[in-house]
Amino acid sequence: MKCIDVAGGTGDIALRILDYAREKYAERDTSVDVVDINASMLKEGEKNFRRTMYYRTPQIAFYEGNAQELSKEQFPDNTYDLYTIAFGIRNCTSIPDVLKEAHRVLKPGGVFACLEFSKVNNPILSMLYDQYSFTMIPLLGTILAGDRESYQYLVESIRKFPPQPEFAQMIRDAGFKTGADEDGGAWSDLWGGVACMHKAVKV
């Protein structure tokens, strides 16, 4: 299986994919191309992989690239069986362009999987989560990292990201097929919707 992990510079998702294929299926033909716009993150990912059995094998490769406009030479049409992007798509300036590129590089029958912060649907939990995120997260950023602005951006970017049904429709608009618009269908809520896994298939 050929996979692409976008906005995955540290290599965490890629390592999980490779370990899963090896441990569950004794499969060593799975490969992951890690793509990130941040060269420093890619260097960190390569550094992390030096401690693994996959380093300097055909199973892993790192590329600098923009999720909204992947190089057609490096990433041809109909190439990948699986496209993953975790906690990265909300930082892109054009989500539709990212989805169109994902559709382009996947083979027919290929799977799109996006893990992202999302909308908490329980009103009480949502209120508590809002209070915590808008007050405590920026405060912790100030105390622990001396960087309130970045943590404030994190909270605001989460709030601006489309809720589950709206994002599912955007995925379909890019040409994908999803399940029904419900938890367990087009998406799976985690921790009450604090995060969410969207899955779709290129038909």
Side-chain angles (χ1 to χ4, degrees):
M1 184 167 71
K2 192 169 180 61
C3 312
I4 181 170
D5 181 39
V6 178
T10 58
D12 294 339
I13 300 298
L15 182 58
R16 284 174 171 79
I17 291 171
L18 294 174
D19 280 347
Y20 182 81
R22 177 178 57 83
E23 293 169 5
K24 189 169 180 65
Y25 300 106
E27 214 261 67
R28 293 298 301 272
D29 292 326
T30 294
S31 65
V32 184
D33 289 341
V34 178
V35 182
D36 202 293
I37 200 168
N38 188 321
S40 298
M41 294 289 283
L42 289 169
K43 288 180 181 177
E44 190 65 26
E46 290 187 87
K47 180 181 176 182
N48 292 340
F49 260 84
R50 286 179 192 149
R51 299 190 292 268
T52 74
M53 67 177 67
Y54 312 110
Y55 184 60
R56 290 184 174 173
T57 74
Q59 287 191 269
I60 188 71
F62 292 85
Y63 298 95
E64 188 173 344
N66 186 340
Q68 297 173 193
E69 193 175 0
L70 296 171
S71 165
K72 291 190 176 183
E73 291 183 5
Q74 287 181 315
F75 311 104
D77 297 1
N78 306 312
T79 296
Y80 296 97
D81 302 289
L82 174 66
Y83 177 113
T84 59
I85 182 166
F87 303 114
I89 199 166
R90 78 179 187 285
N91 294 319
C92 298
T93 55
S94 176
I95 293 173
D97 285 346
V98 176
L99 296 172
K100 287 176 185 176
E101 282 294 88
H103 189 272
R104 178 182 69 79
V105 301
L106 279 169
K107 298 175 182 176
V111 174
F112 170 82
C114 175
L115 177 63
E116 190 52 86
F117 292 112
S118 199
K119 181 177 176 58
V120 177
N121 292 309
N122 181 291
I124 297 174
L125 180 59
S126 178
M127 181 182 67
L128 293 173
Y129 179 59
D130 280 346
Q131 289 178 347
Y132 171 79
S133 59
F134 275 106
T135 57
M136 292 304 298
I137 291 178
L139 178 61
L140 288 172
T142 303
I143 295 170
L144 300 177
D147 184 1
R148 182 183 180 87
E149 288 185 2
S150 293
Y151 286 82
Q152 185 70 37
Y153 166 77
L154 170 65
V155 174
E156 291 172 357
S157 69
I158 292 170
R159 290 298 169 271
K160 291 177 182 177
F161 193 73
Q164 291 89 320
E166 185 178 334
F167 185 51
Q169 185 59 54
M170 294 173 73
I171 293 171
R172 289 191 290 269
D173 289 344
F176 288 101
K177 182 177 177 61
T178 73
D181 271 353
E182 60 188 19
D183 184 15
W187 64 83
S188 297
D189 285 334
L190 306 172
W191 312 295
V194 171
C196 181
M197 173 67 80
H198 282 263
K199 289 185 180 179
V201 177
K202 177 176 177 177
V203 294

